[in-house]
Amino acid sequence: MKKLRVKRLLSQETATRCLHKQLTNGAKITNYLLSSLLLICALCLPIQAQATGSNKGLSSATERLLSLDKGKIELASVSAAVIDGKTGAPLYQKHAEMLMPIASITKLMTAMVTLDARLPLNEDIQFTETHKRANKNYYSRIRIGSKLARKDVIRIALMSSENMASSALGHTYPGGIKAFVRAMNLKARQLGMTHSYFVDSTGLSEHNVSTASDLAIMVRAAASYPEIAEYSRTPGYTARFSHPRYSLRYGNTNALVHSKSWQIDVTKTGYLDEAGRCLVMLTEINGRQTVMVMLNSYGKRTPLGDASRIKRWLTTGESGQISSSAKHYQRQTLQQLLQHPVSEQLALQGGVIH
């Protein structure tokens, strides 16, 4: 009986030790789990702090622009984008990812590709019948056989949208017009314009297409070229040709460059039946650079009105209203674009959007 009692005591002691060991191990596991949980929380805190405090590095002016009420701006353009020139942040977008013909807005890309080639700006370019035919025989005051310095050819292409000038720039590029168009599309990819496609240097083809978002990228890139900034905003210019000698006076197609209330750094207009009225600008509003892109506007002066509405919205918080006819035009155009997307039309013509 005594031995049996001793065995029971030993068994109880062993069981107690095992239980104590299990409890100790359990406590260690619990502590480990708690420690791990605390570590995970600690690691997450900086991320959460960064996410919630992401706007802390922005200036009060930038925060004000980003907080503007998007419901208080109306534009007559079918597609539009307003971008903060300093940060690249989108301030307003309207069908900004819709693929659309861009008409002579193309000429900004034409100028960039020409300048990238580092061709002599003082070298004379001779205008030929080939340039005219490629220009779809559109009327031009430039005489066949005459010459003009490349820098002035770029200038009148940008400020006055001279199609013959843009055609000549493409055809006198090393390798000819095919090499030029390849360079245009390569430049677009390098800039991150993933929804843009070019087939000519003038914009006369409706198959030169892009989006408002992509064109905002192009405008900011174009602003880094001093020549483009100077040439595109020139109010008026007299081009002096040779062989034979004669002069032609050109005016800027954007009337806002003549206004003292606008400080424009880069601008380009465009028009085709398929593209409507188009306007892009890099302008300063309250000392801050702003990119404006307006595509397929209703009426000749509508893009100018939209630019003023954007400016008013940025400065006062309200743009004002657009006409009922402009609203009707937008509905019709959007319906057509949705029924026959530009991307599908381009695919039928063998174009490719990457």
Side-chain angles (χ1 to χ4, degrees):
M1 290 292 293
K2 189 175 183 180
K3 289 181 179 181
L4 183 60
R5 192 177 297 165
V6 171
K7 285 183 179 180
R8 285 178 179 174
L9 288 172
L10 288 173
S11 298
Q12 290 175 359
E13 185 178 352
T14 301
T16 302
R17 286 177 181 175
C18 290
L19 179 61
H20 182 268
K21 187 175 182 179
Q22 290 174 5
L23 289 173
T24 302
N25 289 338
K28 287 181 179 179
I29 293 171
T30 302
N31 289 335
Y32 174 77
L33 291 173
L34 288 172
S35 299
S36 300
L37 183 60
L38 289 172
L39 179 60
I40 292 170
C41 292
L43 290 172
C44 289
L45 282 174
I47 297 172
Q48 292 173 345
Q50 184 179 358
T52 55
S54 59
N55 291 335
K56 287 185 178 180
L58 298 177
S59 66
S60 57
T62 303
E63 288 183 347
R64 187 193 73 80
L65 289 173
L66 293 173
S67 64
L68 285 169
D69 188 350
K70 310 299 188 294
K72 293 186 177 181
I73 177 172
E74 283 190 25
L75 299 180
S77 302
V78 173
S79 174
V82 182
I83 307 296
D84 180 45
K86 183 178 180 180
T87 64
L91 304 178
Y92 173 78
Q93 293 181 313
K94 175 184 179 183
H95 306 300
E97 304 303 326
M98 182 174 284
L99 201 64
M100 307 184 75
I102 61 172
S104 286
I105 306 299
T106 296
K107 292 180 175 72
L108 282 179
M109 181 61 78
T110 298
M112 285 194 287
V113 170
T114 301
L115 292 169
D116 285 348
R118 299 186 180 277
L119 301 171
L121 293 180
N122 290 319
E123 181 182 37
D124 282 346
I125 289 179
Q126 186 172 32
F127 298 92
T128 69
E129 284 287 352
T130 300
H131 304 160
K132 185 178 180 179
R133 286 194 299 272
N135 202 31
K136 296 186 176 181
N137 290 315
Y138 269 65
Y139 173 74
S140 175
R141 295 181 295 158
I142 297 175
R143 302 179 193 177
I144 301 301
S146 61
K147 296 180 180 180
L148 185 66
R150 181 175 281 106
K151 63 181 180 182
D152 288 338
V153 176
I154 300 172
R155 187 190 296 270
I156 63 176
L158 290 174
M159 62 169 285
S160 196
S161 212
E162 172 57 67
N163 290 312
M164 187 77 136
S166 300
S167 179
L169 290 171
H171 282 83
T172 56
Y173 183 83
I177 187 63
K178 289 185 178 180
F180 190 84
V181 171
R182 283 196 298 270
M184 293 175 78
N185 286 301
L186 176 60
K187 180 74 172 180
R189 300 297 169 267
Q190 290 172 342
L191 292 175
M193 298 170 61
T194 55
H195 296 90
S196 301
Y197 184 71
F198 299 93
V199 300
D200 68 24
S201 59
T202 61
L204 289 173
S205 171
E206 69 274 21
H207 296 130
N208 280 14
V209 297
S210 187
T211 65
S213 294
D214 271 12
L215 292 183
I217 296 172
M218 186 171 76
V219 172
R220 293 183 74 201
S224 66
Y225 294 75
E227 297 87 353
I228 295 178
E230 177 191 344
Y231 299 163
S232 72
R233 66 173 184 252
T234 302
Y237 187 74
T238 300
R240 292 177 169 81
F241 296 80
S242 61
H243 300 90
R245 292 181 61 182
Y246 65 98
S247 299
L248 292 176
R249 183 67 181 173
Y250 290 91
N252 202 301
T253 52
N254 182 359
L256 296 181
V257 301
H258 301 283
S259 174
K260 293 181 179 179
S261 62
W262 284 89
Q263 186 173 347
I264 297 172
D265 298 321
V266 171
T267 181
K268 188 70 199 77
T269 62
Y271 173 74
L272 277 179
D273 288 342
E274 298 86 353
R277 303 285 174 178
C278 303
L279 173 64
V280 299
M281 293 196 303
L282 176 65
T283 182
E284 289 191 21
I285 299 175
N286 290 339
R288 195 178 184 93
Q289 285 192 325
T290 304
V291 178
M292 300 182 184
V293 178
M294 293 145 283
L295 302 179
N296 205 330
S297 298
Y298 170 77
K300 187 173 182 179
R301 297 188 63 82
T302 304
L304 307 182
D306 272 354
S308 295
R309 279 182 278 272
I310 292 170
K311 185 178 183 180
R312 194 178 305 120
W313 177 67
L314 291 173
T315 53
T316 70
E318 293 189 17
S319 69
Q321 297 181 338
I322 61 175
S323 67
S324 57
S325 57
K327 292 179 181 178
H328 177 68
Y329 174 79
Q330 286 186 55
R331 286 193 295 269
Q332 279 190 325
T333 305
L334 283 171
Q335 187 176 8
Q336 292 171 2
L337 288 170
L338 291 172
Q339 288 177 348
H340 307 286
V342 172
S343 56
E344 289 184 5
Q345 298 174 35
L346 188 63
L348 291 173
Q349 298 294 327
V352 179
I353 294 291
H354 297 286

